[in-house]
Amino acid sequence: MASMLLTSLRSSPLTSVQAAQFAARSLSTSVHLQAQAKSKKTLAKPGVKNIVLVDGVRTPFLLSGTTYADLMPHDLARAALQGLLNRTGLPNDAVDYIVYGTVIQEVKTSNVAREAALGAGFSDKTPAHTVTMACISSNQAMTTAFGLIAAGQCDAVVAGGVEFMSDVPIRHSRKMRKTMLSLNKAKTLGARLSLLGSIRLAHLSPELPAVAEFSTAETMGHSADRLAAAFGVSRLEQDEFALRSHMLAKKAQDSGLLSDIINFKVPGRDIVSKDNGIRPATMEQMAKLKPAFIKPHGTVTAANSSFLTDGASAVLIMSEEKALAMGYKPKAYLRDFVYVSQDPKDQLLLGPTYATPKVLEKSGLTLNDIDVFEFHEAFAGQIMANLKAMESDWFAQTYMGRKTKVGAPPMEKFNSWGGSLSLGHPFAATGCRLVTTVAHRLQKEGGQYGLVAACAAGGQGHAMVIEAYPQ
């Protein structure tokens, strides 16, 4: 597919220069832009239960290996859950269920949802389970909560996600693991000595985890580099978009807009109150970095990629009836959502392109109806490739079975408080950040509809429509 795309999309409606202009132009757009709701209709359906986002919080997202380095994943998850309880004043026994996402699992707390919930002070009578779906794990947690409430099984569910990249499981080699298991079963000294004698130096080599596709053995960064090349996304475009993300995140941080962040007292350390990966650089500084994955001619670098991040998030989701009965003023309605999947080799990171039109059609909206867009920024090249795919009739006809292009979101409505490139990307925690940010932006900007979209490992993706709650 790559060679076909490279040839065909060079003549697509959205050129590299136009995409770069989009990114540059949005830098001058105020984050306080007042979005104009295109329609006053609501997506509420007669006889269908309204499901609302009451509130959402997250720990500060920190570069891995920094202040959180000596913690464990459930410490961060517990902090997010406690922060949600504190912010909402929710009685700890008022939650019917807890669903939490994680990607790289700590073996000591395999059901991190349960361990974190108990540590946070939730009732031990509240069931909890953990889900994993790569970068859309907390998206899955939220839609699982949605389903439980829609089905009438629950009225109040907490969803969230945690990722801790400062300490990931490192295994012995398979041969060493087999030997150790056999040693445990050996009944005689001779058998044990024989097994010990079979150990070779090579057996001691550890197996390191990698952010790579099992089915293709290709790292996500390598896939992003190929995708950028296939869509003709230049290094300049990627660096410009990454700079945009950092500048907008810095502006949002300084303006106090990132209000979902809770203060977290790290044991033995200071109180952490803000993300530490927001670092606007200059184009000249970014241009000096070498390719990170495809060397020497790749375009994906450390500066235009999301970084390894530690962090956790949590949201309170309720039926509207229950929320109002408990005295809450919800932030937003959670409306329609979809999951998509495609070829993990050539279309690994194109989830937003496939999911966006499906969720719009499901909800009866058009791209013009959306006032706020929040897309997950795995790589700047991934975002720009999706924008080009969405603006290509050829791609829509060839790969999506559509007659015309999807259309790209206007940049003045797009990730205007920064994104994963600057705020950080704790894999399983990002989805809740996206949804909470949409709710806050709709309130701040006066819009009615928001759209979240994200790609994920395995060639999967997710999109959801959020509707502002009446002020």
Side-chain angles (χ1 to χ4, degrees), residues 144-211:
T144 298
F146 186 109
L148 288 169
I149 296 171
Q153 295 294 315
C154 302
D155 286 315
V157 181
V158 167
V162 63
E163 213 63 49
F164 190 68
M165 301 303 294
S166 288
D167 180 30
V168 296
I170 299 174
R171 305 197 301 178
H172 285 290
S173 68
R174 184 158 195 151
K175 289 184 177 179
M176 190 64 186
R177 297 200 306 270
K178 283 186 174 181
T179 301
M180 292 170 73
L181 290 171
S182 297
L183 271 170
N184 194 47
K185 297 176 183 177
K187 299 185 182 303
T188 67
L189 179 60
R192 294 191 186 96
L193 291 174
S194 176
L195 286 166
L196 289 171
S198 70
I199 296 173
R200 300 291 179 264
L201 190 61
H203 296 178
L204 301 178
S205 298
E207 289 183 359
L208 300 175
V211 185

Side-chain angles (χ1 to χ4, degrees), residues 96-355:
D96 301 313
Y97 207 96
I98 297 169
V99 194
Y100 225 73
T102 195
V103 179
I104 300 179
Q105 200 168 71
E106 164 59 56
V107 294
K108 292 181 179 178
T109 55
S110 57
N111 187 5
V112 70
R114 178 63 171 169
E115 304 304 333
L118 291 173
F122 281 88
S123 168
D124 58 10
K125 302 295 190 293
T126 305
H129 81 267
T130 302
V131 297
T132 188
M133 203 174 181
C135 300
I136 52 176
S137 292
S138 61
N139 305 68
Q140 181 57 249
M142 287 184 288
T143 56
T144 298
F146 186 109
L148 288 169
I149 296 171
Q153 295 294 315
C154 302
D155 286 315
V157 181
V158 167
V162 63
E163 213 63 49
F164 190 68
M165 301 303 294
S166 288
D167 180 30
V168 296
I170 299 174
R171 305 197 301 178
H172 285 290
S173 68
R174 184 158 195 151
K175 289 184 177 179
M176 190 64 186
R177 297 200 306 270
K178 283 186 174 181
T179 301
M180 292 170 73
L181 290 171
S182 297
L183 271 170
N184 194 47
K185 297 176 183 177
K187 299 185 182 303
T188 67
L189 179 60
R192 294 191 186 96
L193 291 174
S194 176
L195 286 166
L196 289 171
S198 70
I199 296 173
R200 300 291 179 264
L201 190 61
H203 296 178
L204 301 178
S205 298
E207 289 183 359
L208 300 175
V211 185
E213 295 295 304
F214 182 81
S215 58
T216 65
E218 187 173 74
T219 66
M220 191 170 284
H222 194 281
S223 296
D225 226 330
R226 285 196 306 102
L227 186 68
F231 280 88
V233 182
S234 70
R235 166 76 178 269
L236 177 63
E237 286 178 89
Q238 294 175 60
D239 286 352
E240 284 181 334
F241 186 86
L243 179 58
R244 171 191 190 271
S245 183
H246 280 273
M247 290 179 68
L248 292 177
K250 178 63 174 171
K251 189 171 183 179
Q253 187 179 66
D254 291 346
S255 301
L257 297 176
L258 306 181
S259 58
D260 54 336
I261 295 176
I262 57 169
N263 292 335
F264 179 27
K265 175 62 173 75
V266 180
R269 308 288 290 270
D270 294 332
I271 294 175
V272 182
S273 59
K274 64 180 183 179
D275 307 319
N276 72 356
I278 303 173
R279 299 177 179 180
T282 66
M283 290 296 293
E284 292 72 25
Q285 289 171 324
M286 296 170 75
K288 293 178 182 178
L289 295 182
K290 295 181 179 180
F293 300 99
I294 298 180
K295 303 173 183 179
H297 303 300
T299 56
V300 175
T301 70
N304 56 42
S305 307
S306 58
F307 46 87
L308 296 179
T309 315
D310 300 333
S313 58
V315 295
L316 175 59
I317 299 172
M318 286 181 158
S319 64
E320 183 181 27
E321 183 180 12
K322 180 70 170 181
L324 295 179
M326 292 188 69
Y328 290 116
K329 176 67 179 293
K331 289 184 178 291
Y333 293 107
L334 302 184
R335 296 303 192 190
D336 293 295
F337 62 87
V338 298
Y339 288 92
V340 297
S341 61
Q342 51 274 340
D343 172 25
K345 179 68 175 177
D346 283 332
Q347 301 191 51
L348 176 69
L349 303 171
L350 290 176
T353 298
Y354 284 90

Side-chain angles (χ1 to χ4, degrees), residues 390-410:
M390 295 172 84
E391 278 290 345
S392 169
D393 286 319
W394 176 85
F395 186 86
Q397 293 161 7
T398 306
Y399 289 99
M400 302 178 68
R402 302 177 62 85
K403 293 181 180 180
T404 58
K405 64 187 180 184
V406 174

